[in-house]
Amino acid sequence: MANMQGLVERLERAVSRLESLSAESHRPPGNCGEVNGVIAGVAPSVEAFDKLMDSMVAEFLKNSRILAGDVEAHEYQEDRNDLVISETELKQVAYIFKCEKSTLQIKGKVNSIIIDNCKKLGLVFDNVVGIVEVINSQDIQIQVMGRVPTISINKTEGCHIYLSEDALDCEIVSAKSSEMNILIPQDGDYREFPIPEQFKTAWDGSKLITEPAEIMA
């Protein structure tokens, strides 16, 4: 974490330097001439900055590698049911983007998992110490084998979450989503409980009270 913080501070200093160079490069050129649209006196500094940014960004991406591979390894997967990540670390985050008709298993313990713009995705994981987020997705199935403190569902149509015995204290936070179900283990099987999608709010004389609305037949 200390190394990452130092890298971020270096990036901030570099950006500040770029801003000052940009302001200087837009002065009227006068007699100093320009190189590729940049004042000649500033061009060497801009070139040096570019080289610095290239090396720093490369280092940042290296330090930000996710799990067993880069982020790209978990993007745009389709019709894959053999995706497994077995080498994990506590500090790592799994970002799953635009995967369809696939299943991913994450073994061990990770910091958090993000599912973004996926369709018909199955996720099985052991333990998450932070949060599992589902965003802008459709028809997602999640099976928790160990523990997870929080699962967030946002702008998603269809999300079924199978909790383990150890994850029954998990908090589910949802917004702008539909067809959400939590499956609780009971007697060797699972019992399904829908997450409310409609709510009613009333004034009790001192504050607003909101509770799930019963669907009237």
Side-chain angles (χ1 to χ4, degrees):
M1 291 299 294
N3 292 338
M4 183 62 71
Q5 181 62 33
L7 182 57
V8 171
E9 291 175 356
R10 289 166 57 196
L11 282 170
E12 291 175 347
R13 290 196 298 270
V15 170
S16 178
R17 175 60 176 159
L18 176 61
E19 291 174 347
S20 64
L21 288 173
S22 176
E24 185 176 355
S25 66
H26 284 85
R27 290 189 294 104
N31 296 325
C32 63
E34 296 184 355
V35 177
N36 293 329
V38 179
I39 295 175
V42 180
S45 297
V46 174
E47 182 180 358
F49 174 84
D50 289 340
K51 291 181 179 179
L52 176 64
M53 286 297 290
D54 286 343
S55 62
M56 293 169 68
V57 169
E59 183 179 354
F60 181 83
L61 291 176
K62 179 180 179 181
N63 289 339
S64 299
R65 288 175 65 85
I66 292 181
L67 304 176
D70 294 329
V71 179
E72 289 78 6
H74 312 294
E75 293 182 334
Y76 302 101
Q77 301 292 329
E78 187 170 355
D79 293 318
R80 293 285 305 275
N81 295 313
D82 57 347
L83 301 173
V84 179
I85 301 172
S86 56
E87 297 182 7
T88 58
E89 294 181 11
L90 185 59
K91 63 182 180 180
Q92 293 169 323
V93 177
Y95 181 65
I96 309 161
F97 181 70
K98 278 191 176 297
C99 293
E100 295 188 20
K101 301 176 183 177
S102 298
T103 302
L104 171 64
Q105 181 179 4
I106 301 177
K107 298 181 179 181
K109 184 181 293 186
V110 297
N111 184 280
S112 58
I113 301 172
I114 301 172
I115 299 174
D116 187 3
N117 270 284
C118 293
K119 294 181 181 179
K120 298 182 183 297
L121 174 74
L123 171 67
V124 181
F125 66 87
D126 289 344
N127 294 283
V128 169
V129 298
I131 187 173
V132 174
E133 297 184 71
V134 183
I135 309 168
N136 296 318
S137 296
Q138 297 179 16
D139 196 6
I140 304 299
Q141 294 197 30
I142 298 174
Q143 183 167 5
V144 185
M145 304 303 294
R147 294 184 58 84
V148 57
T150 306
I151 296 177
S152 173
I153 309 169
N154 193 14
K155 297 181 180 179
T156 293
E157 297 179 5
C159 186
H160 305 274
I161 302 172
Y162 295 77
L163 295 178
S164 68
E165 293 283 356
D166 294 332
L168 295 181
D169 58 348
C170 172
E171 295 183 349
I172 312 294
V173 181
S174 62
K176 300 179 180 179
S177 299
S178 61
E179 301 177 34
M180 301 170 290
N181 294 282
I182 307 300
L183 291 98
I184 305 297
Q186 291 186 357
D187 301 325
D189 201 353
Y190 285 92
R191 183 180 177 186
E192 184 176 282
F193 295 87
I195 296 178
E197 300 175 25
Q198 293 182 328
F199 301 87
K200 62 180 181 181
T201 301
W203 178 254
D204 72 346
S206 60
K207 62 182 181 298
L208 292 174
I209 300 295
T210 300
E211 58 186 17
E214 295 182 4
I215 300 177
M216 303 300 293

